[in-house]
Amino acid sequence: MAAKGGRAVTPKTKPSAAKSAKPAIKSAKSARPATKTSVKTPARTAVKPPQRKPAPVPAKPAVKSRPAKPAAHTAPRPAPRPAPAPPRQPTQDEAAALKAFERAHKEFVRGRFAEARMLFRQLIEQHAGVAEVTARARTYLAIAEARMRSESSLPRNAEELYDRGVIELNRGDFVAAQELFERASKRDPEAAHIHYGLAATRARLGSIDLALQSLERAVNLQPALRSRAQHDHDLAVLRNDPEYERIIFAQRV
């Protein structure tokens, strides 16, 4: 169709055709929601926290079997030792010499040097074949004779004898101290301090029974000596004796 005024006139489409085309578009649009409903969003799965793997249990070391011990060679048993020989019994002469020595030594310890000298001399004469015992007897015999020679220079007064006895006791010559205290006690039998000194020297010499007798005599004469006896080192050997307990403690009022 020719255009007016030199312009080409586009032919108008028929409204029926355009209208009929629009519903087709709408139908296409209406089809979109169908696609939306058909596409399902995947459901969210709950996210589980990562589980910790248990620590691996260390494998037990394989128990190694011990190698079998080689068979021990049995060592030869040592030959049995011979039984020790029984101790030699002293001969009759030796036993008699020992007995005589003990008797003479007892008199020596008591301070009876004249009796001890006589017994030691008899031992040496009668048992000359027992060399060991007679050698000891000669030693004690020489001491006894020296003590007897000094008797002439000894004081005669009881107090002077006691003082000399204390000097010998402090020097450690207990035999000489005992002799001096015995001489003093003969001159003054009622002197408690002399009997106490005699108890101390006898305790030092190991004459327990005689020491206890002298101690009892001393405390009977002078009871105050009981407290002194409890701390006297010279009487320490007596303290374990029940008789000492009786003398010192049982008689207290």
Side-chain angles (χ1 to χ4, degrees):
M1 189 176 286
K4 293 181 179 182
R7 294 179 178 178
V9 179
T10 305
K12 296 181 180 179
T13 58
K14 293 179 179 181
S16 60
K19 290 178 180 180
S20 61
K22 288 180 180 178
I25 296 170
K26 288 181 179 180
S27 63
K29 289 180 180 180
S30 62
R32 288 179 182 175
T35 58
K36 289 181 180 180
T37 56
S38 63
V39 178
K40 296 181 179 180
T41 57
R44 293 183 179 180
T45 58
V47 180
K48 295 181 179 180
Q51 297 181 355
R52 295 182 179 179
K53 294 182 180 180
V57 179
K60 294 183 179 179
V63 179
K64 296 181 179 180
S65 59
R66 296 181 179 178
K69 293 182 179 180
H73 296 287
T74 56
R77 293 182 179 179
R81 295 181 179 179
R88 186 181 69 84
Q89 297 295 329
T91 63
Q92 186 175 359
D93 191 23
E94 290 173 345
L98 288 172
K99 188 175 181 180
F101 180 85
E102 291 176 358
R103 185 167 61 252
H105 184 265
K106 184 181 293 185
E107 297 297 329
F108 180 88
V109 171
R110 290 178 177 177
R112 300 174 181 174
F113 298 113
E115 292 83 353
R117 180 182 64 175
M118 179 186 66
L119 292 173
F120 281 129
R121 283 180 175 177
Q122 290 177 359
L123 187 156
I124 295 169
E125 292 173 0
Q126 296 175 4
H127 305 285
V130 187
E132 183 178 355
V133 179
T134 54
R136 294 173 61 189
R138 287 190 181 92
T139 301
Y140 280 95
L141 175 61
I143 297 173
E145 290 176 344
R147 294 297 184 189
M148 292 180 66
R149 286 193 298 268
S150 65
E151 285 184 356
S152 58
S153 62
L154 291 177
R156 300 298 177 182
N157 182 275
E159 289 301 320
E160 292 179 358
L161 288 168
Y162 172 78
D163 293 338
R164 287 282 300 274
V166 171
I167 293 172
E168 297 298 334
L169 176 62
N170 293 332
R171 288 175 54 190
D173 194 344
F174 306 124
V175 175
Q178 179 182 234
E179 179 188 359
L180 291 165
F181 288 138
E182 285 180 346
R183 289 175 179 272
S185 65
K186 289 178 182 178
R187 287 163 175 75
D188 189 358
E190 301 301 318
H193 61 287
I194 295 176
H195 290 286
Y196 186 91
L198 190 56
T201 54
R202 286 174 171 174
R204 286 290 191 174
L205 290 170
S207 301
I208 305 300
D209 294 336
L210 294 175
L212 289 170
Q213 292 175 12
S214 299
L215 181 61
E216 186 172 15
R217 177 66 172 159
V219 298
N220 287 339
L221 291 169
Q222 187 177 343
L225 291 173
R226 287 192 175 95
S227 60
R228 177 181 174 185
Q230 296 177 35
H231 307 285
D232 196 334
H233 295 293
D234 292 327
L235 302 177
V237 70
L238 305 179
R239 293 195 180 100
N240 294 328
D241 196 293
E243 191 68 12
Y244 173 86
E245 298 289 330
R246 182 189 67 81
I247 294 170
I248 301 301
F249 300 106
Q251 295 182 3
R252 288 187 175 183
V253 179

